[in-house]
Amino acid sequence: MKKTEAFFEMHRDIEVLRRRAIAEYWNDNQTDDVIAQLSLRQLSHLVTIEKLGPCSLLTVMRHTGLSKSAVSAAVVRLGILSRVSNPDNRREILIGVLPAVKTHLKNIDARFRRLVNSIFAEECTGEEIDKIAEVSALIVEKLKKYDLK
């Protein structure tokens, strides 16, 4: 659809900014025990897993492209993910991000927000920011109707 092309271009640009925020945070925090053990790619996967919330191994694999053994390694060897039983299906294990990692992910999100907000502050009028907020809220509302897991 030609009408949605601007949306996809915006998405690509925002994804570049998100990846920049992750890379800058990763580079700036190499002395931290949690961050230093992770590759930039692993950190990016953790952002995705955190967004999905505690979810099944299959969901993690579908959204990250990681194999079962790679996710298990992150749980056991790296100690960055948690495993809990699914209260709705006791045979299923839910994967989540440990609190120490969540703190870093919140810091990455704050960095990303500052980056985007600084661009808007420099490039947009108040009226344009209001339009962006309105359209963004509509997009979020529509996406919430779609099962992202």
Side-chain angles (χ1 to χ4, degrees):
M1 274 167 110
K2 201 167 190 138
K3 289 183 177 185
T4 58
E5 191 54 37
F7 169 81
F8 292 110
E9 184 174 341
M10 174 205 64
H11 177 273
R12 287 187 294 270
D13 291 344
I14 289 175
E15 182 62 18
V16 167
L17 293 174
R18 185 185 74 86
R19 288 178 187 265
R20 180 195 302 174
I22 293 169
E24 287 175 356
Y25 187 84
W26 183 77
N27 283 322
D28 292 348
N29 289 278
Q30 283 300 299
T31 58
D32 183 276
D33 289 343
V34 174
I35 297 299
Q37 71 176 331
L38 300 173
S39 70
L40 189 53
R41 185 174 182 195
Q42 288 170 321
L43 188 56
S44 185
H45 289 322
L46 288 173
V47 170
T48 301
I49 294 167
E50 170 64 12
K51 173 66 179 161
L52 296 170
C55 57
S56 70
L57 177 61
L58 184 62
T59 299
V60 171
M61 291 167 56
R62 184 175 350 144
H63 286 278
T64 63
L66 294 171
S67 66
K68 184 177 182 179
S69 62
V71 177
S72 294
V75 172
V76 177
R77 187 169 39 88
L78 296 177
I80 55 176
L81 297 176
S82 64
R83 293 170 49 141
V84 295
S85 294
N86 183 346
D88 298 328
N89 179 355
R90 291 186 296 194
R91 294 180 299 160
E92 184 178 59
I93 299 295
L94 299 178
I95 307 295
V97 177
L98 289 173
V101 178
K102 283 184 182 187
T103 300
H104 288 291
L105 298 179
K106 285 179 183 176
N107 292 338
I108 289 169
D109 186 58
R111 184 180 288 233
F112 170 67
R113 289 169 183 263
R114 283 192 305 273
L115 181 59
V116 172
N117 286 333
S118 70
I119 292 169
F120 287 167
E122 285 179 31
E123 300 295 329
C124 299
T125 65
E127 187 177 297
E128 289 171 326
I129 291 172
D130 290 343
K131 285 180 185 177
I132 291 167
E134 185 179 331
V135 171
S136 297
L138 178 62
I139 292 168
V140 168
E141 177 188 323
K142 298 301 179 185
L143 288 175
K144 280 187 177 179
K145 294 178 181 177
Y146 178 76
D147 183 10
L148 295 177
K149 291 186 182 183

